[in-house]
Amino acid sequence: MANASLIGLSRQMALRRELDVVSNNVANINTTGFKGDTAVFEEYVMPKARHDGFPGKHSKLSYVHDRATWHDLTQGPLRQTGNPLDVAIDGKDFFVVQTPQGERYTRNGSFQINSTGELVTSQGYRVMGEAGPIQFQTDDKDIIINRDGTIAVPDGTRGKLRLVSFEDAQRLRKDGFSTFSAPNGVVPQASQLPHVIQGSIEQSNVKGIVEMTRLIEVTRAYTQTATLLQQHGDMRKSSIERLAEVPA
Amino acid sequence: MRALHTAATGMMAQELNVQVISNNIANMRTTGYKRQRAEFQDLLYEHVRRVGTQTSEQGNILPSGIELGSGVKTVGTPRLMTQGTPITTGKEHDIAIRGEGFFPITMPDGRTAYTRDGSFAVDATGRLVTAQGYLIEPAITVPQNSTGFTVNAQGQVMVTPAGTTTPTQIGQIQIAMFMNKSGLQGIGDNLYLETPSSGTPQLGTPGTLSFGNLMQNALEQANVEAVSEISDLIAAQRAYEMNAKVVTAADQMLQSTSGMMR
């Protein structure tokens, strides 16, 4: 009898996790370069019920188990800002930034120049070029960032943005601060066909309608399971009452 | 419940976004105003199941883990220092900068502030001052009874002193440039202060190197575009509503849980 409660509980736990994922997506609906997540569940089939000695066949019990969260790595919509230091990537590449923890990867191309003339992210992390950080001179103006990531000013080039791609970008880990890190064994490769767009930023790829639909789905399923559990509880209660009735 | 807090961070972020947008709209007609943009980043993640964990003794590796994010935070409100449209005003003491640079201003407390607002005036003693009465740096004094106040593109200030017909130079307007002008600190009154993030000012003559040149009888308008601000406002409001819906949903789920207990 307890199995029904436990199965229901496993479903509710999974739904709560899904709500956590949905809420994080919605919270980041306006975050530049944000990639949404999707919770993936799997069936966990209990090998056998507890008692094996019955003559009849035992049906297997299936619990739900959260398996993973997938990064939705599709392209976010581009938004023109007109700011020459805003760069968006068209395609599957990532920018490389230098953080105190090491190299990190991001799709957030809202860059700035810091007081020493280096190209940095809004967090202050240095943006890496193919030959190290990108350094500007004090009197540089009219900065042009070409499609392939080359950064040019009227009197020369100031480097080329380092763009990398991953064979399996799913395995990247989210660190917060719009950055991803690569776990051991995931090696960035130099991008084959870099394509960046100056004066634009990539918006969050979270789709409000999808998330709201998911939200309805989650709450309804949760309430449904709660009702089921309640009915199951009532059933137990009444059976206990009936069975324990002492005839007068 | 984590989702409640996550949605709360989302609502707070959008509230701040609306605040930034409303300040931009409020300053749509402020001379030399530079619009701001709220910049967001995702918060830390809890790695419930780490990426790359082995799932069997044969070395099968989990293709992706379970990551639960905890919301959003504001990382900054950088100013977009793009050029505003210069409009001619016909007032001789109005000066606009076309291109890079700021006018250095001496504040009453002795510090130097920087502005793009060139709506200057002459005070009782003939000194060139801002609309608040602060002196421009270096100070320029217009001799009494002189006529024909002109400022050329290179910042040379000329007047024709009383009783003569030839204009003479009475001063030179200098402008300051910063490595990271978005790092300047806005203090209101159209003034900015130098910060460690902006770098030290580089003073120069307008029209030389990469300094912008000056335009007399004109003022630089705010670089706020009504259409983009309003559409940003709509987007922020909708995002706020969606986060509020998440709060409702999380609340409903909690309610159904607590309803089970009788």
Side-chain angles (χ1 to χ4, degrees), chain A residues 83-104:
Chain A
N83 186 359
L85 292 176
D86 283 340
V87 198
I89 301 176
D90 183 16
K92 295 190 183 315
D93 301 336
F94 291 86
F95 295 113
V96 182
V97 295
Q98 202 181 45
T99 73
Q101 290 79 39
E103 217 169 66
R104 294 290 183 267

Side-chain angles (χ1 to χ4, degrees), chain B residues 18 20 22 32 47 51 55 87 92 94 133 150 160 174 183 186 189 199 231 234 254:
Chain B
V18 170
V20 171
S22 68
H47 297 266
V51 178
T55 54
I87 48 157
E92 59 180 2
D94 284 346
T150 51
T160 313
Q174 285 204 315
D189 296 345
S231 60
I234 296 170
L254 277 177

